[in-house]
Each structure stands twice: as structure tokens, then as C-alpha cells.
Amino acid sequence: MSLKVVIIGGGSSYTPEILEGLIQRQPTFPVSEIVLVDVEEGVEKVETICQLGNRMIKEAKVNIKLTWTLDRRAALQGADFVSTQIRVGGLAARAQDERIPLKHGLIGQETNGAGGIMKAFRTIPVLMEVAEEVHEICPDAWMINFTNPAGMVTEALLNHSAHKKVIGVCNIPFNMRHSTAELLQVPPEDVLIRFIGLNHFVFGDRVYVGGEDRTEDVFQKLIQKEFDYSPANIMPLDWSETFIKSTKLLPNPYHQYYFQSETVLEKDLKAYEENGTRAEIVQELEASLFELYKQESLREKPEELEKRGGAFYSQVACSLMDSIYNNKEDIQTVNTWNHGTIPELPYDAVIEANCVITKNGPKPITIGEIPAPMRGMIQNMKAMEELVIKASISGEYEDAYNAFLVNPLIQDEKKAKIVLDELIEAHKDYLPQFNR
């Protein structure tokens, strides 16, 4: 059997990584056709990516047909897997998500706080359309979403679209596992971190190496500042001995926004004054990446791509597709329905959890109760996510305001309105649901 993979957002600078992953896995994941889909504004980028991809395919001596198109419906014909990696409004929209909250003394970040909510508002309606088209045109295809905020997007699609074969992925658990393996000087495939929580708000509560519990060793290394697993888009900060010993949890890099808020805000404001927003830095990095991609001599994914914050997303996505196709029943960390895995969260909520990956999709491994120190925080975050999804679909101002109000990085009734109003105005071209 030969497989067809469609990449929505094919002009992304990350695409060479997913192409590399598909090329490398061809013996076990026999993809014969890849179609890159993008929008009119992304024509030059997607064309550049396609040319590079075809050089990579030729260099690897594999038989894969790679094309690009702006016709999404045509691309979806006969698809087996559809990956989604879009950024509605591009990096210019992200810059607004970061700049406007910072202006009002709030953390400005693309997947957390006010910025993360606005990204969801712009993204969910577009991917709902994609999901409906997938369900109509290629109903047996799996949608693999790594568009942020991945957990909220995945929950919106699973609970509010007709298509149910949707899985969300993130590179944070992958980074945590590989950094932990490096720290303990063991192969990554021997490391299993038991994760509990939500996308970008997930904790590790146990670490196993070859079945042996090494949690305390990892906690000690973390206390002694011996390692860091922050991606390129997040400034690494130390965790105190008191935090680690008291919570007995392995935090992820995004937790600094919630538990080191003042320090992060201070550093973000300083970085903004000196270098502009992270989005503006990424725009420069992306421009240099695309200059590289245009070089005829380049026939592989360049190392410079790893400087992007989402590096290794594609490795996660390719491993997931490979495991579904081959019914590997291995364990991967993905975003999927809770279905009782965490009893304190709604049955149809989406969580980020270790799952057994089968041909019928992910089967989450039961975790049990949320550790007491973070139970209330995780429940509050899930309630906030539900409000964000509701507002994304309804377009009701009051729903949007409620989502802002309860977000832990805002929680100020006056600032919530001011920042919401400014962001809606800044993004009005991409928020048709709020402009009715």
C-alpha cells in the first residue's frame, strides 16, 4: 500500500523537518505522495519548500511525488494523513499577540495568556473548516495537528467538528524526554516520563529508565541546575529546590510563565525593549532560513532550523503517523480525549498524556488523580480552555471576555477588557466571527 500525506501550511519553515522524517521512514511508512497546501500570501515560501523537498527526495533516492497547491479540496482527495501547521495572520499577527499585552504589563506569549487566547480565536474557525473538508473528502484520514495552542485546537475539532480522527502533538514532552536521557546518560528510547496535565501545562510525576524509577535522580539534577530542556523560543529559568521538593513534580518550560511570572515579565520587557518581540526575532531567523532553502546546493534539512522554537515537532508527528499505520502499540505523548484518564477533568476534555498508539488511534494510559499541589491549577486551566473554545466558535464578546478574565496570566477585570479590545481591533481581519 502506498500512502498520501497532505501538509496544510506547507510553506512553514518547519516543513523540511517533516519531509526529512517522511523520507527517513519510507521503508516502514511507504508514502508515495506528499502535497503541500498553503494560501495565496504563502506562494513564494511553499514553492521554495517544494523545490528544496524535491532536492532532498532526489538526494535520498526515494520514490515520492512532492507537489504544492493552493487548492485544499483537491489536495485532500485520497489523503491518508493530513498534518496541520498553520499560523493565521502570520508572524505579524504573533507580534501583536506579544506586543499588546506587554504594553499593559502582562506577559505576551504566542500560546499562553492573552496572546495564546487570540491565536486560538484566529485559528480554531479555520481548522474547523479544514476538519469538515477532511470529513467530507477523505473521512478515513487522520488529522495530526501541531498548530498551537495544540490542546485547545484539538479539543475544538474533536468536540465541535464532524471529524473525530484528530490527534494533537507537541514537542515539549519529546524535548523533556530527550534532555532527561542526556542528563542520565541513557538512550532516549529507554526513558519514560509519566505525564499528567494539559498541553503546555503538563507535568512529569515519575521518570523511569528501563522500568527503574529514577525520579529522585532527575529531581536532584534539576535542583543542582545540571540541565535544561527549554526550546529555543523560551528563555531558560532555574527552578528552586523548594518548588521541586514540595511539588514533587517535573515542570515543563512553559510553567515559568505561571510560577515565575514577575521574573519572566521583567525579562520579556527588557528583551522587548532591546530586540523587539520574539516574533520579530523569528521573522529575521525565518528570512535567513528561506535564503538557505533557496540554495540549489542544499539537499537536506539545515541545522539552523533547530534554532526555531518548534524544532522536533515534525519528528513527533512522523513517529505518530508511522505508529498508527503499523499498529505499533508503542507509547507516545499526545493530545487526545480524556475519557476518564484523569477523573477530575471532564470526560470529553482533551489532555496531554502518554498513550498506546494503535491503528485505531491513541489509547490513553490511566493516570489517576492529579497531584494535590496542581489539581486546582489544572482544573482552572481546563475551564479557561473551554471558555476560549466557546468564544472561538460563538464570536460572542462576553464569551471572549470571560476567557480573558479567568486566564491566570490576566485575572484583572479592567485590563482584561482593555487588552481584549485592542487585540480584537488589531486582528479584526482574521476574526470574522467577532465582526458579525
Side-chain angles (χ1 to χ4, degrees), residues 209-228:
V209 177
E212 180 188 355
D213 192 331
R214 299 287 302 275
T215 310
E216 289 303 321
D217 293 342
V218 174
F219 285 168
Q220 279 304 119
K221 300 284 189 185
L222 197 57
I223 289 166
Q224 292 161 10
K225 327 296 185 200
E226 291 187 22
F227 81 124
D228 170 66

Side-chain angles (χ1 to χ4, degrees), residues 91 103 218 249-250 418:
L91 287 168
K103 186 174 75 173
V218 174
L249 293 168
L250 193 61
I418 292 167

Side-chain angles (χ1 to χ4, degrees), residues 228-272:
D228 170 66
Y229 41 72
S230 296
N233 61 322
I234 300 178
M235 194 178 299
L237 292 177
D238 294 332
W239 293 95
S240 71
E241 181 175 353
T242 307
F243 181 92
I244 300 298
K245 285 188 172 180
S246 300
T247 63
K248 296 178 175 60
L249 293 168
L250 193 61
N252 84 68
Y254 285 95
H255 282 134
Q256 65 177 263
Y257 294 109
Y258 301 92
F259 302 113
Q260 301 182 19
S261 304
E262 286 186 18
T263 305
V264 170
L265 181 57
E266 188 179 311
K267 289 194 173 190
D268 283 358
L269 283 168
K270 186 171 185 287
Y272 171 59

